[in-house]
Amino acid sequence: MAQRPPVRYLFGDSSESDLEFDYLAFLREVIDCAVVMAECEVTLAATVEGRRSRELETASVVAAVEELGKRVSQLVGPTGDPPAATPVGRCAAAITAAIRDAVDRESTQARAALAVECEEMDRQDQRQRVRAKDVLEKLLRAHDLPGADRALEVAWSTSGVKATMRQRTGFGVEAVVALDVPASSMFGLDLRVERIVDGVEIHAHETAGWLKKSDKVVAHKLGRYQVTGVLVGGDATTVRLRAAPEASAGGFVVTSQRNGELRVEPTGGAPSREIAVDERDVARLRLVAERLETAVRGLAENRTGLVSLEIDGVPIAQYEHPRMFAERLIAAVAPTVQKIARRSRSPGELVLRRLLGDNRREEIFISTAELRKRLDGLPSHAREVFAPLQLDGEPARSAPDEPRPPARQTVEVKPAPASAPAPAERTVTPADRRFDTEPETRPDARHPASRAVPPPAPMPTAMAIPELRGGPGRLGPPVPAAEAWRASRPTPPRGEPPVVDMPMFEDRSPPFATPRADPTLPGVPRPLAASETKPPTASPRAADKPPEAAAEAGRKRSDDSLGDAIDRLLDDSDDTPLPR
């Protein structure tokens, strides 16, 4: 019957993983073990602090009692040194003895109370250490330590067969777990080589001779040799053979490497000799090692209990800081837990899947809230041990192959800057910018909302402005102060345009065939009729007017307001003919 392939575990997003067992169940027991270790550390720290406090208190009590005894003894001393036979002497001696007895009695009682309390503290510490060992034993009976190297060993003795598994980790922990040897296994009290493989021999080249050394081939039949020990670990399998049940009997140590090498060394009371195994014996010796290795590995699942556990070479029962073991254990499993969290598509959960065959698979999960609940009994400073697991952090991110849709951009209509070009229907010459005192951005005619705004009124053309009569590329004479003030006056505020839901026209062309310019903007030309056109003339200066006209204008400025005078001056300048 063919052996079924091992169950493969996948991450929550169905991607491949290198996990060969239920890592979530292992994580639960790791957290429980670390919680007990952290609690043990808290209890031991409280015990040490309580012991120190009680020792200081007891020392102060004893010192106070002794000081009282000295002070009372000094009160009795000044009476002199009367003879012991006198009443005063007898009284002084009795008082001194009573003081000494009282001081000794109270000091002894204080020290005895301290000893009782210390014994109770020691028992409490021992209970915590036993609890820590029990939870470690529960963990190791079901799982291996993370990243541990295993070594399985079966040893024969007069009392029976003993099997153990030794685990060594990279963070300083070494554990030995006892294995059960079932009666149905091949490991009996008298296991001989012939029960494993028949006809095993060693044809070894031995150097022998007393007077003259000679090299000869000696055949050793190993069928009657007993197996006294098997060690499976690392990259080799070591088998110990002995010719007789006595411990001093000679034998061989056969070491089979994973790379195919085979080495045989003699043991026992016989003199040391060099053995070179013949090629014809290598295959049977390697077969013996392979069958014993398979049988030994089958015992790895029969774990009965924890034999010993050492941290940095110190037994767990004597280790002063169990929290350090918890920190190392959590740090060893944290990378795998974070990888599972990143590959889990469900926020707040750690998810694994495993293939069952026939296109079927099942999902295993555990919530991070359940894992955090296991830490409720710990103080806040002890929960720092579990920080590498990131149980309180943000939920795991989704897989990177799921792109998110781009966010919608909000379209905001902003006014065009002053340096931006004007729209097509508004033509501004370089000379017009000289009269722009308060630029205003007009809405775009193509926008639907701008069609509801009534068209602007026409502006006067450049021919109506004396400075522009000479052409757009040439500036006229200086502008008078009155006209400059009139051009710089702020335009009256305009009302808000009405909001119209539907456009006024069906087509998308501008409202008028010929675009109109804004009449509020200075310097914008307007079309003139043929009758209004005049030949270009220069504006008369104040110095060219007759003296009487200038005097009359000065009297009018003094009588009228400044605004009326400016208007009258502008009208007079337009009607005055140019000098011939």
Side-chain angles (χ1 to χ4, degrees), residues 22 27 90 137 177 197 246 275 292 294 330 368 412 519 559:
D22 187 357
L27 179 61
R90 288 193 299 272
E137 181 176 355
V177 182
V197 178
E246 293 78 10
I275 298 178
L292 287 175
T294 302
I330 293 299
T368 55
E412 181 179 0
D559 297 335

Side-chain angles (χ1 to χ4, degrees), residues 294-454:
T294 302
V296 171
R297 290 188 182 277
L299 301 178
E301 304 300 328
N302 304 329
R303 308 181 188 187
T304 58
L306 182 64
V307 177
S308 64
L309 190 141
E310 296 182 355
I311 306 174
D312 298 332
V314 180
I316 186 64
Q318 303 174 5
Y319 199 67
E320 297 181 357
H321 301 286
R323 174 175 173 172
M324 187 176 297
F325 172 77
E327 292 177 351
R328 297 178 183 180
L329 188 61
I330 293 299
V333 302
T336 304
V337 174
Q338 295 175 7
K339 185 184 297 184
I340 294 175
R342 289 194 302 267
R343 301 292 184 87
S344 299
R345 294 182 179 272
S346 301
E349 292 181 351
L350 302 177
V351 183
L352 285 179
R353 297 176 179 178
R354 65 177 181 177
L355 299 178
L356 302 178
D358 298 333
N359 297 327
R360 294 184 301 111
R361 63 189 176 194
E362 68 176 359
E363 183 175 286
I364 308 170
F365 72 94
I366 183 174
S367 64
T368 55
E370 178 184 348
L371 298 179
R372 290 195 301 267
K373 189 175 181 181
R374 297 173 182 264
L375 314 180
D376 291 343
L378 292 177
S380 58
H381 63 87
R383 297 188 183 187
E384 299 175 357
V385 176
F386 305 90
L389 298 179
Q390 300 180 0
L391 300 179
D392 296 331
E394 297 180 356
R397 298 176 299 175
S398 58
D401 56 351
E402 297 180 357
R404 295 184 178 180
R408 296 182 59 185
Q409 299 181 356
T410 303
V411 179
E412 181 179 0
V413 179
K414 296 183 178 180
S419 59
E425 62 271 10
R426 179 181 175 186
T427 304
V428 181
T429 61
D432 296 334
R433 299 182 182 275
R434 183 169 175 266
F435 301 96
D436 291 343
T437 59
E438 191 172 342
E440 180 179 359
T441 303
R442 308 300 300 171
D444 191 359
R446 293 172 296 177
H447 197 275
S450 65
R451 298 185 178 181
V453 182

